[in-house]
Amino acid sequence: MFRKFRTNFEMISNDTNNSLNIETQLIASLLVKSSVSKQLQTIAEKILHNERISCDDALVLYEKADLNFVGMLANYVKTQKFGNQVFFNKNIHIEPSNVCVHKCKFCSYYREKDDRESWEYSIDEIAAKLKTIPADALTEVHIVGGCHPSRTIAYYCDLLRLVKQILPHVYIKAFTAVEIEYMAKLNSMTICEVLTKLKESGLDAMPGGGAEIFDEKLREEICPSKTKSNDWLAIHKQAHQLGIETNATILYGHKETFAHRIDHLNRLRTLQDETHGFNAFIPLKYKKENNVLGIERELPWTEDLKNFSITRLFLDNIPHLKVYWPMLGKDFSQITLDYGVDDFDGTINDSTKIYSMAGSVEKTPIITQDEMITLIKDSGKTPVERDTLYNIIAIHNK
Ligand code: V47
Ligand code: SF4
């Protein structure tokens, strides 16, 4: 079978006038290179035939493939799914408080209640901020914060209702599984009761935070008191069953091995086969500043690109792969668009602190819609404005 494929590719790569896209031609020339091992060729063949790759295959890619190899394949898969399109949305991030009961070792953001760097925005303060925003500047409000020790579910329901009252047309994507679990505990409710109440108050979707790394031993080491892996997965499953679509994340580049990353992706892929409720996956690069994990180096950018690429190849059932540009920087995020990424997140439109406190590249993560469109066009792609659920709002192909 591969011989046939290879022969076809040899023909394609020799034919400079054919109508096939540049990605296919590049893959062709890559695969006929004798330096690519049989083992890697077999994995590439699976991908080109739309077959699922195994955990062992993913490990081979992490350990033995070079960046060009996985990058071209990831770009091929992304292009098959979405052509030249890259999605973005117009959103704002609201962080109601950075007071948190959990104290994860990698977190640069949480503060004790009496710390001078802590904040606890009231409903009125958030209302005042929202009222300054023109209605057509947004289609999504993203709300994530710490697990505040004493704020009851009433505060969060009031907040959701307020957002819908001021900006009735927006989707609200709010609260990580970790916050949901803590609401259930504090209010003596089940997860199903919490999610149902939040949904009734205006919750449309959930972000992917709090997943970190699912390996139980490593999770215990880096965030001992946080929601356990199986509970994180069960909360997302419950959300999907209630019709709430969600995202998922991984925190990578700290103490984890390649096997830990693959195990994490595999648990998500297995759940997605069952529920189909995940929209997007966001790899979050560990940033080292202002936390107590004690890791002195951050991953080189080549490893980030390899990680994005292999994620695109392994996670075949979560449609969107998102780059969170405030963390990696606008320039580098543009490059990820050639390594499997199809989603540039949003305009963010707030002085989001969760990453600036951890040493993110962009200190003031705000861009206008025009800037976002230019960034995507400058990367040679077609910007597509979407809503939270990936319904298309506008294609900017002029
Ligand atoms: O779960 C905390 C991460 C996450 C650090 O769903 C850190 O659309 C790097 O989940 N270095 C919260 N990362 C943010 C989040 C998110 C962001 C953007 C979009 C979406 C979405 C979700 O922030 C936490 C944790 O993994 N984080 N500290 C750090 N030092
Ligand atoms: Fe709290 Fe989230 Fe920071 Fe952990 S990562 S301490 S749960 S704010």
Side-chain angles (χ1 to χ4, degrees):
M1 177 71 103
F2 184 69
R3 193 183 302 277
K4 187 166 158 243
F5 226 96
R6 196 175 155 134
T7 314
N8 287 343
F9 275 135
E10 272 161 358
M11 280 162 53
I12 295 164
S13 55
N14 290 334
D15 172 10
T16 48
N17 294 321
N18 73 73
S19 58
L20 285 163
N21 65 31
I22 190 78
E23 285 81 15
T24 316
Q25 289 185 46
L26 284 170
I27 290 172
S29 55
L30 179 84
L31 289 180
V32 297
K33 258 175 47 183
S34 55
S35 58
V36 175
S37 71
K38 182 83 192 102
Q39 199 179 25
L40 288 175
Q41 286 180 2
T42 307
I43 298 171
E45 188 190 5
K46 276 192 191 174
I47 292 163
L48 295 167
H49 281 109
N50 227 354
E51 281 171 36
R52 179 166 274 192
I53 63 167
S54 66
C55 292
D56 288 344
D57 293 334
L59 193 59
V60 171
L61 292 176
Y62 272 117
E63 287 178 346
K64 299 192 179 157
D66 67 23
L67 176 59
N68 285 340
F69 184 85
V70 291
M72 279 190 204
L73 287 169
N75 194 38
Y76 170 82
V77 171
K78 182 262 162 193
T79 308
Q80 292 293 309
K81 285 183 197 275
F82 302 112
N84 207 30
Q85 298 188 329
V86 169
F87 300 92
F88 73 94
N89 75 349
K90 290 190 296 216
N91 63 352
I92 181 173
H93 280 215
I94 293 174
E95 294 164 4
S97 173
N98 66 342
V99 177
C100 184
V101 296
H102 283 304
K103 308 179 183 17
C104 304
K105 289 189 188 155
F106 54 80
C107 179
S108 321
Y109 166 84
Y110 76 83
R111 293 291 180 274
E112 299 289 346
K113 201 171 158 49
D114 54 7
D115 190 299
R116 61 188 175 82
E117 287 185 323
S118 71
W119 69 82
E120 295 167 289
Y121 296 133
S122 66
I123 299 282
D124 288 346
E125 283 170 315
I126 296 175
K129 164 93 189 164
L130 289 175
K131 283 178 183 159
T132 64
I133 300 169
D136 64 354
L138 286 184
T139 62
E140 175 185 282
V141 176
H142 166 120
I143 309 173
V144 168
C147 294
H148 190 282
S150 56
R151 274 185 171 165
T152 65
I153 194 165
Y155 169 88
Y156 299 103
C157 291
D158 286 349
L159 179 56
L160 293 169
R161 281 191 288 268
L162 169 98
V163 173
K164 288 278 170 159
Q165 191 193 326
I166 298 175
L167 299 163
H169 64 288
V170 302
Y171 284 94
I172 305 178
K173 171 166 61 100
F175 312 128
T176 66
V178 180
E179 293 167 89
I180 302 287
E181 184 193 54
Y182 191 69
M183 283 181 215
K185 190 172 162 197
L186 193 70
N187 298 277
S188 305
M189 293 166 78
T190 65
I191 298 295
C192 183
E193 286 165 349
V194 169
L195 287 170
T196 306
K197 207 166 168 45
L198 294 173
K199 193 177 178 201
E200 284 165 4
S201 307
L203 181 78
D204 296 301
M206 271 170 63
E212 322 309 358
I213 198 81
F214 289 146
D215 178 81
E216 278 76 7
K217 204 157 157 257
L218 183 54
R219 194 174 183 88
E220 189 62 30
E221 210 183 306
I222 67 172
C223 48
S225 74
K226 199 166 210 167
T227 312
K228 303 298 168 218
S229 306
N230 284 343
D231 294 331
W232 188 99
L233 290 160
I235 292 166
H236 280 258
K237 182 174 174 174
Q238 177 73 82
H240 299 169
Q241 285 166 343
L242 291 169
I244 302 167
E245 295 179 17
T246 73
N247 290 341
T249 56
I250 184 173
L251 183 69
Y252 73 95
H254 44 93
K255 296 186 170 185
E256 87 289 0
T257 61
F258 293 143
H260 288 144
R261 287 189 206 167
I262 296 164
D263 165 65
H264 189 95
L265 297 179
N266 194 39
R267 295 196 208 190
L268 289 170
R269 190 167 81 170
T270 305
L271 178 56
Q272 178 72 340
D273 278 342
E274 195 184 330
T275 64
H276 310 285
F278 290 112
N279 275 329
F281 183 73
I282 309 119
L284 297 171
K285 177 185 186 150
Y286 168 73
K287 305 294 286 179
K288 66 184 167 86
E289 278 169 39
N290 299 318
N291 64 62
V292 297
L293 197 56
I295 291 176
E296 287 311 312
R297 53 112 194 92
E298 286 177 7
L299 280 189
W301 60 268
T302 44
E303 286 299 311
D304 295 321
L305 292 178
K306 249 187 109 169
N307 195 45
F308 274 106
S309 302
I310 296 169
T311 300
R312 167 59 83 190
L313 299 177
F314 186 85
L315 218 44
D316 57 359
N317 57 359
I318 298 187
H320 300 283
L321 181 61
K322 187 195 276 196
V323 62
Y324 188 54
W325 61 264
M327 180 166 57
L328 292 177
K330 294 170 195 167
D331 297 348
F332 181 73
S333 296
Q334 285 178 305
I335 299 172
T336 67
L337 301 179
D338 284 326
Y339 292 82
V341 169
D342 69 285
D343 188 347
F344 215 85
D345 202 286
T347 46
I348 313 286
N349 197 2
D350 193 17
S351 47
T352 299
K353 293 178 183 138
I354 198 158
Y355 286 109
S356 55
M357 291 166 93
S360 62
V361 176
E362 302 293 345
K363 297 298 173 208
T364 46
I366 304 174
I367 49 181
T368 62
Q369 176 175 217
D370 286 349
E371 253 184 285
M372 173 69 87
I373 290 170
T374 305
L375 277 174
I376 296 172
K377 280 190 176 168
D378 284 351
S379 317
K381 317 284 182 210
T382 305
V384 177
E385 188 192 343
R386 61 162 176 90
D387 66 17
T388 302
L389 305 181
Y390 289 84
N391 298 303
I392 291 180
I393 295 175
I395 301 178
H396 298 272
N397 52 4
K398 296 257 162 56

